[in-house]
Amino acid sequence: MLHCETRIESRQAELRRIVALTEQFGTENCLPGTVVNDIQVALDETLSNIVVHGYDNPASGMIVVRLACQNGEVCIEVEDDGQAFDPLQAPLPDLTADLAQRQVGGIGIHFIKSLMDTVCYDRRNGKNLLRMIKRLPARSDERQPNPMTPPPTDGVAVLAPHGRIDTASAERFGDQVVALIRAGCRSVVIDLCNIIYVSSAGFRAMLLAHKLMHKTNGRIVICGLSPELRRLFEIAHFTTVFAICGTREEGLAWAEPC
């Protein structure tokens, strides 16, 4: 499958179809997992933005997604007939602000620009066309899973999500963290060793939870980041917001109340 094209309705529920399509496309074209992850993040950001902001009546919209792999690069095209919007003209978020001033939105387009090698926008015949290019590396060293046996938590809450924290799952993830905080927990370790990627929706959920925890003088500690996931945290400048540890054991030690 060197080329593929699909159409989806402008609904959040449809985004899961694109995740599955991208995974199949990556498998059939022998793409490195890191490349597939970057493409999925970029598509999640692009499509969720169209669904939320592109149409006055979202259910009436149709979105076309095209993927092509050739000449050492992957071309991703997203076409919709919603309101005109050039993401390249959107202002960059302030990623250096302290916790009190940090905004919960605005990093999705920053992710797209950072993860893709080329991003172009055009408005043709009443339609938005976003074209993204991801160059393939000469070789890829895939990170092997590193399963970890949870040690005793000694009263510190541990949250260990699996898969992705994207538009479809971010709300549930955020609700889980907030529920722990509102239940009186003052130390939460979020172990991301089984997470493939986090989209801007996931980072918004973490930032909101972190702000809520900050009001209680509690701690949220992040651990288990793969090199690819750490790169997303660095792009979003979240390494300066959260305490980040290598392993769950280190996270538990950091989060344990004095």
Side-chain angles (χ1 to χ4, degrees):
M1 185 168 57
L2 295 178
H3 305 267
C4 68
E5 176 178 320
T6 190
R7 295 173 181 268
I8 63 172
E9 296 177 12
S10 180
R11 297 187 295 112
Q12 294 285 4
E14 292 278 81
L15 302 190
R16 282 301 185 190
R17 288 178 51 198
I18 301 302
V19 171
L21 176 70
T22 308
E23 289 180 343
Q24 181 183 358
F25 180 84
T27 298
E28 295 188 7
N29 288 283
C30 301
L31 300 181
T34 53
V35 170
V36 175
N37 292 347
D38 287 352
I39 293 172
Q40 288 180 324
V41 171
L43 279 173
D44 185 83
E45 303 297 351
T46 301
L47 297 173
S48 61
N49 186 66
I50 295 171
V51 170
V52 174
H53 302 292
Y55 296 92
D56 294 330
N57 179 14
S60 65
M62 294 295 296
I63 306 171
V64 180
V65 177
R66 305 182 186 96
L67 299 172
C69 183
Q70 57 187 3
N71 301 324
E73 63 185 28
V74 178
C75 176
I76 309 104
E77 289 187 349
V78 178
E79 183 179 85
D80 70 273
D81 57 359
Q83 301 177 31
F85 174 67
D86 181 358
L88 302 181
Q89 300 303 315
L92 290 176
D94 183 1
L95 301 176
T96 61
D98 59 25
L99 180 60
Q101 302 299 321
R102 191 75 181 263
Q103 299 299 310
V104 296
I107 65 173
I109 294 171
H110 178 60
F111 271 141
I112 295 171
K113 293 179 179 179
S114 299
L115 297 177
M116 298 292 103
D117 294 294
T118 304
V119 183
C120 303
Y121 169 83
D122 196 8
R123 180 77 176 178
R124 299 178 183 174
N125 301 319
K127 295 183 178 182
N128 298 300
L129 178 62
L130 186 68
R131 191 170 190 265
M132 301 174 282
I133 300 293
K134 181 67 178 180
R135 289 194 292 269
L136 300 179
R139 62 184 298 272
S140 175
D141 296 322
E142 292 295 327
R143 179 179 182 265
Q144 299 301 316
N146 181 26
M148 304 170 69
T149 302
T153 60
D154 296 326
V156 178
V158 177
L159 190 61
H162 285 67
R164 306 168 182 80
I165 306 178
D166 56 11
T167 300
S169 60
E171 183 176 0
R172 180 174 180 273
F173 166 75
D175 288 345
Q176 289 176 320
V177 182
V178 169
L180 290 172
I181 299 171
R182 288 178 174 167
C185 181
R186 294 296 173 263
S187 295
V188 176
V189 174
I190 302 177
D191 188 347
L192 299 179
C193 71
N194 293 310
I195 288 295
I196 300 172
Y197 65 77
V198 179
S199 73
S200 65
F203 279 106
R204 284 195 295 272
M206 282 191 277
L207 184 59
L208 288 171
H210 192 43
K211 287 188 173 185
L212 180 61
M213 180 67 93
H214 185 71
K215 294 178 180 179
T216 69
N217 295 317
R219 299 174 179 174
I220 293 181
V221 181
I222 307 293
C223 67
L225 298 183
S226 67
E228 296 79 18
L229 198 52
R230 177 175 284 274
R231 181 168 62 108
L232 294 179
F233 271 74
E234 291 171 348
I235 289 172
H237 284 229
F238 268 59
T239 53
T240 61
V241 174
F242 287 93
I244 298 179
C245 297
T247 67
R248 184 181 294 192
E249 290 84 353
E250 294 171 355
L252 287 167
W254 184 270
E256 185 176 351
C258 299

